[in-house]
Amino acid sequence: MTATVNRTDVTGQMIIAGKPVRGSGPTIHGINPAAGERLEPGFAHGTEPDVEAACAAADEAFAPYRATSSEDRARFLEAIADNIEALGDTLVARACAESGLPQGRITGEVGRTSGQLRLFAGVLRDGGWNGARIDPAQPDRSPLPRADIRQRKIPLGPVAVFGASNFPLAFSVAGGDTASALAAGCPVVVKAHDAHPGTSELVGRAIADAVASTGMPAGTFSLLYGAGPELGTALVKDSRIKAVGFTGSRSGGTALVAAAAGRPEPIPVYAEMSSINPVFLLESALATRGADLGRAFVASLTLGSGQFCTNPGLVIAVDGPGLAAFVSAANAAVAETVPTPMLTPVIAGSYADGVAALEGVATVEARGAESDAPNSCRAALFSSDADTFLGSDVLQQEVFGASSLVVKCRDAEQVRAVAARLEGQLTATVHADEEDLDEAGHLLSVLELKAGRILFDGWPTGVEVGHAMVHGGPYPATSDSRTTSVGSLAIERFLRPVAYQDVPPSLLPTAVADGNPEQLWRRIDGRLTQD
Amino acid sequence: MTATVNRTDVTGQMIIAGKPVRGSGPTIHGINPAAGERLEPGFAHGTEPDVEAACAAADEAFAPYRATSSEDRARFLEAIADNIEALGDTLVARACAESGLPQGRITGEVGRTSGQLRLFAGVLRDGGWNGARIDPAQPDRSPLPRADIRQRKIPLGPVAVFGASNFPLAFSVAGGDTASALAAGCPVVVKAHDAHPGTSELVGRAIADAVASTGMPAGTFSLLYGAGPELGTALVKDSRIKAVGFTGSRSGGTALVAAAAGRPEPIPVYAEMSSINPVFLLESALATRGADLGRAFVASLTLGSGQFCTNPGLVIAVDGPGLAAFVSAANAAVAETVPTPMLTPVIAGSYADGVAALEGVATVEARGAESDAPNSCRAALFSSDADTFLGSDVLQQEVFGASSLVVKCRDAEQVRAVAARLEGQLTATVHADEEDLDEAGHLLSVLELKAGRILFDGWPTGVEVGHAMVHGGPYPATSDSRTTSVGSLAIERFLRPVAYQDVPPSLLPTAVADGNPEQLWRRIDGRLTQD
């Protein structure tokens, strides 16, 4: 492939097992949302034969790919990271054009993406992901001897990944889903998001080149273009696909969950879908720094045109002078915001519709400046009393973009009542002073059951990539609260345990072999040891 | 409750949050299948108000129960184990009468049940289940400082457990599902199996008494009687239930999976359903000890009237003199078997139907002796060539009971082809000599993708309770291959991770507190340490 396509060219082709393939479906184009301009070249959507070819290649690659060592897979992930970084300005310029996001944000996202790949290289070298356990034989146990039983985790099989629109790099072709699935030993078939097809091709080729240069099986990675309802569903329904990673809308995620559940062999779907990320402002914090909080809140709200899964779409506090100061400062900050482009015309249209729906049921506190620029996001802040909020479905729905709602409560008890009524969330935020800690403790025990991440005295829009991060949460934030899509724990989504009973030493996987050749931390009779 | 009902009385009542409650639905009786006799007293099925009361109590108990310490929950599990053991002969006699299983088997199962509870007490004290991770703050990091992020696991919420018919103790009211859910911090609502209602009441009271004596919230445990399609579905659909454990038939399991997926908030279902547990006999092993293997196989096949999830229902080997010796010895052993009672009239009827269906498509090799005893299992051995097997759905279906099918293959390649075509299994067994190890290695890489446990030179019917055991496997063996229902890893089914970002030290859970007060193994910046 490297012989025929230059690494920095955008050709409009898919990549199936290393080979460039032009689709035979309808042609779509990237759109520069800031300019409202169509970008070249066109990308022809793939069709079912392309799904078939990619899945067949992934299936064929699975056995040799999962047999590679942790070290070999770590080097493969590092080669992907190197290739992505080597794309330099070409990649940044294309991603900026296709997303309307500013250069600084995209440059940061390149680093986040390569950083994630390197994080999983480290996870592979650490080896804890094997979950190695050994219960040694007890031949003299009475009344029955105990067999030798060992456990390790193995990859589920080929994984389908659906790129997200709002992070064209970090949650897309080489994002966290792909990085964690490849680390686990699963081949990956990506369905690119139509919002950034050129970015997807560049990153896809960076992966395919790393497959080739590190000697991985060609079918370890494929990249397809296509419509979600047709090509995406065909991909999820293919019997060779064994798990799905998705970041996107609630309707898109639930459709994939239904498709996966309806298969003859149902498979897990990790869909990160919908969250309004409540922020609780407690009394003393509001009294001492209400206006500062209001300004900082708007900075988080409007970051990236509010197009974050963790955008703070709900603020909950006891009504009073502190909250008034917060709202007043927030209103002033919102009024000063300059419209910024949204990712796609569809997203901009949905945002405008969502804000219009809120205008009918909540008080408009402030709007950002108007603009004639296409696809722009005009920030919006609403307010409502808690009784209205609790009785309204519309007010509890996510509006993707820089829109938020302040819910004014009678007292701390009503704040807790609102917390208890929330759906599942990716995050919940609490601003609390020393005097608020008792109340914060009550709230924390409720919020633990509602969110994957709870943060104090900050804003939810930054999602650190590390070992302790949870980017997940109860339904409908995700379709599976037992996991995270960001951070090293994400590898566990694509693994399952296997037990080996009295398996001859020469056939035992090295992770559970005698003498611990990989020097792993293992549980021997339940106790962690590196022996 | 202890004041009104004696611990060893069987009264026919349910237990809701510690209180004896008589149902208002149809009355069912335990049946002694060996004698075909109805046992007293009658048990009136519960109805939806009972589900409502049990779920409300479980929901109310959840907050205080999950706030208990690991040590307190460990003592609670040990108290349950003590109470079950203290039931002594009363429990053994009732379980024998209701199941038709021999006293030695039931006595062993009492030990297995209390042993499982004590295993999870140890898991709680070890503390690894918390999954504690800390990524310390990096205030000086550039360009942005890093927040302090900590992760631990918390329980999902109230769990519904469906007792199995075939292990009236170890996979029933206080079985592995209940033990692991209670260990995780989840209140449990059990739907008792109609096949052993008296055993269920005795064990349920042992749990309820332990709830009271160790000061746990009353709603931590409830026990209901009722029909699966009505009461069971109502239980799974109750919004306060957050996960389901089930062991039983494929149709029962898939119905619960569908009910859970159809909820406004879908929840995980851990259903252990169906497995035919293939046994592969390799060439040299067959040549050197074919007849011995045949006799040992029949002992495993007929154990407990074949009513094990891991019963060896399929034998696969290359046809030849070794396999002929195996079949010949197996046939002789089957012919010598004495019919033994099955668990229920329904199970005995299904077994007879399943065997009759096989008679139409496979060669009858041997049958056990006939019997006039009610509900008895007459062992059956069939054979078929591999081509017929590969083309037949009937031959690949589980017949619950002491029936098995020998699949005769042309060569090793066809053995592998049969392995590759199998559905998901709980176990796969290989008998191999030194000379067979190359072939066994090829087979192992296929079987890893088909089964939760792979064992060599033994029989699958013993399932050791320990840390390394996997009693699970790909669909349709279970509805979720990422877990196990036996062994200490089972606790992870009922947990999810939560991240705490910049949470004030006084509010941090002890598992991730500074100074490591619980002396846990934790990942600090990804590295395991007890510091």
Side-chain angles (χ1 to χ4, degrees):
Chain A
M1 201 195 75
T2 44
T4 54
V5 180
N6 193 299
R7 251 187 217 186
T8 53
D9 286 349
V10 176
T11 71
Q13 295 175 94
M14 303 184 290
I15 301 169
I16 299 180
K19 294 204 173 64
V21 174
R22 191 165 300 282
S24 59
T27 296
I28 58 103
H29 285 259
I31 304 273
N32 181 332
E37 278 175 1
R38 201 172 95 158
L39 297 165
E40 294 302 330
F43 290 76
H45 272 176
T47 52
E48 294 220 10
D50 301 309
V51 172
E52 164 63 31
C55 292
D59 189 48
E60 192 185 327
F62 180 43
Y65 183 58
R66 80 179 182 96
T68 57
S69 69
S70 284
E71 178 60 29
D72 285 348
R73 287 208 296 290
R75 287 184 188 158
F76 168 46
L77 295 180
E78 288 166 341
I80 300 172
D82 291 344
N83 288 352
I84 289 172
E85 285 169 349
L87 285 165
D89 292 345
T90 304
L91 180 61
V92 172
R94 183 80 197 188
C96 288
E98 288 184 332
S99 67
L101 292 168
Q103 188 179 332
R105 152 69 194 275
I106 291 296
T107 305
E109 213 182 307
V110 172
R112 183 186 179 92
T113 306
S114 58
Q116 276 186 147
L117 290 157
R118 294 201 168 91
L119 175 78
F120 283 105
V123 167
L124 284 169
R125 292 193 175 105
D126 173 85
W129 66 273
N130 286 285
R133 296 170 167 222
I134 300 177
D135 293 345
Q138 295 176 348
D140 301 327
R141 190 183 65 173
S142 152
L144 288 171
R146 185 171 83 171
D148 176 290
I149 304 176
R150 305 176 188 225
Q151 182 186 117
R152 68 152 178 168
K153 291 191 171 170
I154 69 168
L156 292 177
V159 170
V161 170
F162 290 75
S165 63
N166 60 337
F167 280 82
L169 296 159
F171 283 81
S172 190
V173 177
D177 287 343
T178 297
S180 55
L182 290 176
C186 299
V188 168
V189 180
V190 172
K191 189 194 96 56
H193 199 289
D194 274 357
H196 50 268
T199 307
S200 296
E201 184 187 349
L202 289 170
V203 173
R205 196 168 312 116
I207 300 175
D209 284 353
V211 167
S213 69
T214 60
M216 296 294 161
T220 301
F221 175 78
S222 290
L223 172 70
L224 304 176
Y225 299 101
E230 293 103 42
L231 185 133
T233 306
L235 184 57
V236 169
K237 292 203 157 191
D238 190 287
S239 65
R240 294 160 292 200
I241 295 294
K242 300 301 183 189
V244 178
F246 169 89
T247 301
S249 68
R250 187 163 173 177
S251 59
T254 51
L256 292 185
V257 168
R263 291 167 42 126
E265 179 201 11
I267 54 173
V269 175
Y270 303 103
E272 189 238 284
M273 297 185 290
S274 171
S275 184
I276 50 176
N277 304 295
V279 175
F280 294 84
L281 308 173
L282 300 194
E283 204 175 337
S284 176
L286 265 185
T288 57
R289 49 197 162 96
D292 288 346
L293 288 171
R295 282 182 286 270
F297 158 69
V298 174
S300 173
L301 174 68
T302 57
L303 197 68
S305 303
Q307 299 164 122
F308 286 91
C309 315
T310 54
N311 191 56
L314 199 63
V315 177
I316 300 148
V318 176
D319 204 5
L323 184 58
F326 172 91
V327 170
S328 171
N331 284 351
V334 165
E336 280 170 22
T337 56
V338 178
T340 45
M342 299 198 80
L343 292 156
T344 70
V346 170
I347 288 173
S350 294
Y351 175 72
D353 292 347
V355 167
L358 287 176
E359 280 170 350
V361 284
T363 304
V364 180
E365 289 286 350
R367 293 298 309 266
E370 289 195 79
S371 166
D372 290 335
N375 308 313
S376 63
C377 176
R378 194 181 158 206
L381 186 60
F382 298 91
S383 69
S384 163
D385 63 90
D387 293 322
T388 304
F389 175 79
L390 289 169
S392 165
D393 284 342
V394 174
L395 292 179
Q396 297 192 42
Q397 273 164 25
E398 181 182 16
V399 176
F400 190 70
S403 167
S404 193
L405 172 72
V406 178
V407 177
K408 300 176 177 179
C409 299
R410 271 190 306 278
D411 50 25
E413 196 179 331
Q414 194 172 35
V415 169
R416 281 190 233 167
V418 169
R421 283 283 296 282
L422 292 172
E423 289 190 305
Q425 306 288 341
L426 293 171
T427 71
T429 301
V430 180
H431 286 272
D433 275 1
E434 195 67 32
E435 294 71 37
D436 296 318
L437 289 185
D438 272 359
E439 185 56 31
H442 292 298
L443 211 47
L444 181 61
S445 65
V446 177
L447 297 180
E448 277 178 327
L449 306 181
K450 298 290 181 178
R453 175 167 57 113
I454 298 160
L455 62 148
F456 271 64
D457 301 318
W459 302 98
T461 32
V463 182
E464 193 66 49
V465 177
H467 300 283
M469 177 50 65
V470 176
H471 190 64
Y475 187 91
T478 77
S479 58
D480 191 334
S481 74
R482 296 163 292 173
T483 67
T484 173
S485 65
V486 174
S488 59
L489 193 76
I491 193 173
E492 297 199 355
R493 299 179 296 169
F494 303 114
L495 298 168
R496 70 175 180 86
V498 173
Y500 302 83
Q501 180 172 323
D502 287 337
V503 169
S506 66
L507 297 182
L508 276 174
T510 54
V512 291
D514 290 335
N516 197 7
E518 296 190 33
Q519 292 185 280
L520 302 177
W521 284 97
R522 313 194 287 190
R523 285 196 180 270
I524 310 286
D525 266 332
R527 301 187 71 162
L528 270 177
T529 168
Q530 228 170 350
D531 292 348
Chain B
M1 198 194 79
T2 44
T4 53
V5 181
N6 194 298
R7 251 187 217 187
T8 54
D9 286 350
V10 176
T11 70
Q13 295 175 96
M14 303 184 290
I15 302 169
I16 299 179
K19 295 202 173 65
V21 173
R22 192 165 301 279
S24 58
T27 295
I28 59 103
H29 286 258
I31 305 275
N32 182 331
E37 277 175 3
R38 198 171 96 157
L39 298 164
E40 294 301 331
F43 291 76
H45 272 176
T47 52
E48 294 219 10
D50 301 309
V51 171
E52 165 62 31
C55 292
D59 188 49
E60 194 185 325
F62 180 42
Y65 183 58
R66 80 179 182 97
T68 59
S69 70
S70 284
E71 178 59 30
D72 285 348
R73 288 208 296 288
R75 287 184 189 158
F76 167 45
L77 295 180
E78 289 166 342
I80 299 172
D82 291 345
N83 288 354
I84 289 172
E85 286 168 349
L87 285 165
D89 292 346
T90 304
L91 180 62
V92 172
R94 182 82 197 187
C96 288
E98 289 185 332
S99 67
L101 293 167
Q103 189 180 331
R105 152 70 193 275
I106 291 295
T107 305
E109 212 181 309
V110 172
R112 182 186 180 90
T113 306
S114 58
Q116 277 186 148
L117 289 157
R118 294 199 168 92
L119 175 78
F120 282 105
V123 166
L124 285 170
R125 292 192 175 107
D126 171 85
W129 66 273
N130 287 285
R133 296 171 167 221
I134 300 177
D135 293 344
Q138 295 176 350
D140 301 327
R141 190 181 66 172
S142 148
L144 287 172
R146 187 172 83 171
D148 176 290
I149 304 176
R150 305 176 187 226
Q151 182 185 118
R152 68 153 179 169
K153 291 190 172 172
I154 68 167
L156 291 177
V159 170
V161 170
F162 290 75
S165 63
N166 60 337
F167 280 82
L169 295 159
F171 284 81
S172 191
V173 177
D177 286 343
T178 297
S180 54
L182 289 177
C186 299
V188 168
V189 180
V190 172
K191 190 196 93 61
H193 200 288
D194 273 358
H196 50 269
T199 307
S200 296
E201 185 186 349
L202 289 169
V203 173
R205 196 168 311 117
I207 300 174
D209 284 353
V211 167
S213 70
T214 60
M216 296 295 163
T220 301
F221 175 78
S222 291
L223 172 70
L224 303 175
Y225 299 101
E230 292 103 42
L231 185 132
T233 304
L235 184 56
V236 169
K237 292 203 158 192
D238 190 286
S239 65
R240 293 158 294 199
I241 295 295
K242 300 300 184 189
V244 179
F246 169 90
T247 301
S249 68
R250 187 163 172 176
S251 59
T254 51
L256 292 185
V257 168
R263 292 167 42 125
E265 179 200 10
I267 55 172
V269 175
Y270 303 103
E272 191 238 283
M273 298 186 290
S274 171
S275 185
I276 51 177
N277 304 297
V279 176
F280 295 84
L281 308 172
L282 301 194
E283 205 174 339
S284 176
L286 264 185
T288 55
R289 48 197 163 95
D292 288 346
L293 287 171
R295 283 183 285 271
F297 158 69
V298 174
S300 173
L301 174 68
T302 56
L303 196 68
S305 303
Q307 300 166 121
F308 286 91
C309 314
T310 54
N311 191 55
L314 198 63
V315 177
I316 300 147
V318 175
D319 204 5
L323 184 59
F326 172 91
V327 171
S328 170
N331 284 351
V334 165
E336 280 171 22
T337 57
V338 178
T340 44
M342 299 198 80
L343 293 156
T344 70
V346 170
I347 287 173
S350 295
Y351 175 73
D353 293 345
V355 168
L358 286 176
E359 281 170 348
V361 284
T363 305
V364 180
E365 289 286 349
R367 292 298 309 263
E370 288 194 79
S371 166
D372 290 336
N375 308 314
S376 63
C377 176
R378 193 181 160 208
L381 186 60
F382 298 91
S383 69
S384 164
D385 63 88
D387 293 324
T388 304
F389 175 78
L390 288 170
S392 165
D393 284 341
V394 174
L395 292 179
Q396 297 191 44
Q397 272 162 27
E398 181 182 15
V399 176
F400 190 71
S403 168
S404 192
L405 173 72
V406 178
V407 177
K408 300 176 178 180
C409 300
R410 272 191 305 278
D411 50 26
E413 195 177 334
Q414 195 172 37
V415 169
R416 282 190 233 169
V418 169
R421 283 283 296 281
L422 292 171
E423 288 190 305
Q425 306 288 341
L426 293 171
T427 71
T429 301
V430 179
H431 285 272
D433 276 0
E434 195 68 31
E435 293 72 35
D436 297 317
L437 288 186
D438 272 0
E439 185 57 30
H442 290 300
L443 210 47
L444 181 61
S445 65
V446 176
L447 297 179
E448 277 180 328
L449 306 182
K450 297 290 180 180
R453 176 168 56 113
I454 298 159
L455 62 148
F456 271 63
D457 300 319
W459 304 97
T461 33
V463 181
E464 192 67 50
V465 177
H467 300 282
M469 176 52 64
V470 176
H471 190 64
Y475 189 91
T478 76
S479 58
D480 191 334
S481 73
R482 295 163 293 174
T483 67
T484 173
S485 64
V486 174
S488 58
L489 194 75
I491 192 174
E492 297 199 356
R493 299 179 296 169
F494 302 114
L495 298 168
R496 70 175 180 89
V498 174
Y500 302 82
Q501 180 173 322
D502 287 336
V503 169
S506 66
L507 297 182
L508 277 174
T510 54
V512 290
D514 290 334
N516 198 7
E518 296 190 35
Q519 292 186 280
L520 303 176
W521 284 97
R522 315 195 285 189
R523 285 197 180 269
I524 310 287
D525 265 331
R527 303 187 71 163
L528 270 177
T529 169
Q530 228 170 351
D531 292 346

